[in-house]
Amino acid sequence: MSTYLVFGATGNVGRRVVERLTWAGAAVRATSRTPESAGLPAGVEVIASGLTAPGALDGVEAAFLMWPFHSAEPARPLIDALARATRRVVFMTGGGALPGVAPQDQPNPVARWHATVERLIERSGLEWTVLSPSTFMANTLWWSGQIRAGDTVRGAYGSLVMTPIHEDDIAAVAVRALTGPGHAGRRYTLTGPDRLTQAEQVRVIGEAIGRPLRWRELTREEERERLSADPAFPDDFADDLLDGYATMAAAPPPALTSSVRDLTGAPATPLSVWAAEHAAGFGGPVRAEGDGAGRVRRRRTAG
Ligand SMILES: NC(=O)c1ccc[n+]([C@@H]2O[C@H](COP(=O)([O-])OP(=O)(O)OC[C@H]3O[C@@H](n4cnc5c(N)ncnc54)[C@H](OP(=O)(O)O)[C@@H]3O)[C@@H](O)[C@H]2O)c1
């Protein structure tokens, strides 16, 4: 039986990729820095992240790769090892990496690292597919503390238009590309079904938890201070995030794509559905199938 290797398997998307491969009956090997607490489905072989672990790449048909590192340095040996051991890689890029733009000309460091990894993969001899998703719906959980504490979400760039995507829709596409033919050399731009400002996203979450919520606009500097004081928010990420928002705000509003529907046969999931699944994470009602931490077993359709 083919084995599929999933990097970042405890992350927003990787966990869904593992689940979907498992549901499809595939053999799954997954990486985690803390295998003992990864909480992945029974039968998944969890290895400590390093791919130098003996046997880590044996028998791997295809790998799902994402890039959590703050440098592209570790990519070369990793991709060389993959190219020797396996046939296909599906890479989830990020950071606003622009297609067809050289790494050094990308708009920010995160985009540069991701574009570097894309380039290494494209030149590796592997069959590759790049997934370029829009903003994850899970990012709205950054507001969960404020929503638990009151009815107002404070932040900057409230009128910024996004096309938020459900992480499980990304996973559904990833599994198609990992397991099926016809995706080699393709770069898919994935979005959710709707264009929503940040303020509109807050309203949708309010509807899901049965409590009207409103947005209060902060200046960039106020937001930077708020994020820096938030223990749940990574210290070094506030400027990257706000720079990213500033770039997005200066660009034309993002376009929606039909890639999720085209590739999985099911429409992209609206934020209202994601928010209902994760209501408990915002202090809303716990749904019967939820685990209380915002994770639920979703439909097993697409992918
Ligand atoms: N958030 C967005 O809106 C968005 C949009 C487009 C693209 N992206 C891209 O998506 C990727 C993140 O995906 P995700 O949200 O699914 O992942 P995530 O939830 O941030 O999880 C990352 C996983 O990587 C593993 N990991 C291994 N080494 C790590 C390290 N040095 N630092 C941090 N984590 C490490 C961790 O697993 P263990 O702890 O088990 O080792 C963790 O579960 C990034 O490349 C980002 O640029 C994000």
Side-chain angles (χ1 to χ4, degrees), residues 227-265:
L227 290 172
S228 303
D230 181 348
F233 202 81
D235 280 349
D236 52 359
F237 190 51
D239 282 322
D240 284 344
L241 181 72
L242 293 170
D243 286 348
Y245 286 174
T247 304
M248 287 164 74
L256 296 171
T257 73
S258 59
S259 301
V260 170
R261 183 196 289 272
D262 297 345
L263 291 158
T264 69

Side-chain angles (χ1 to χ4, degrees), residues 133-185:
S134 58
T135 310
F136 296 178
M137 290 180 180
N139 293 0
T140 63
L141 287 167
W142 294 336
W143 298 326
S144 62
Q146 296 197 68
I147 292 173
R148 282 173 176 275
D151 294 337
T152 302
V153 171
R154 295 173 303 133
Y157 301 100
S159 59
L160 182 63
V161 178
M162 300 176 171
T163 54
I165 185 166
H166 197 307
E167 301 75 40
D168 196 48
D169 288 340
I170 306 170
V173 172
V175 170
R176 289 287 165 126
L178 284 166
T179 59
H183 304 289

Side-chain angles (χ1 to χ4, degrees), residues 30-48:
T31 70
S32 171
R33 289 167 299 176
T34 52
E36 60 291 348
S37 58
L40 293 167
V44 173
E45 182 190 351
V46 189
I47 55 166

Side-chain angles (χ1 to χ4, degrees), residues 56-77:
L57 294 171
D58 290 355
V60 171
E61 162 80 9
F64 173 78
L65 179 65
M66 41 76 70
W67 202 251
F69 307 107
H70 287 197
S71 150
E73 271 311 299
R76 191 179 299 276

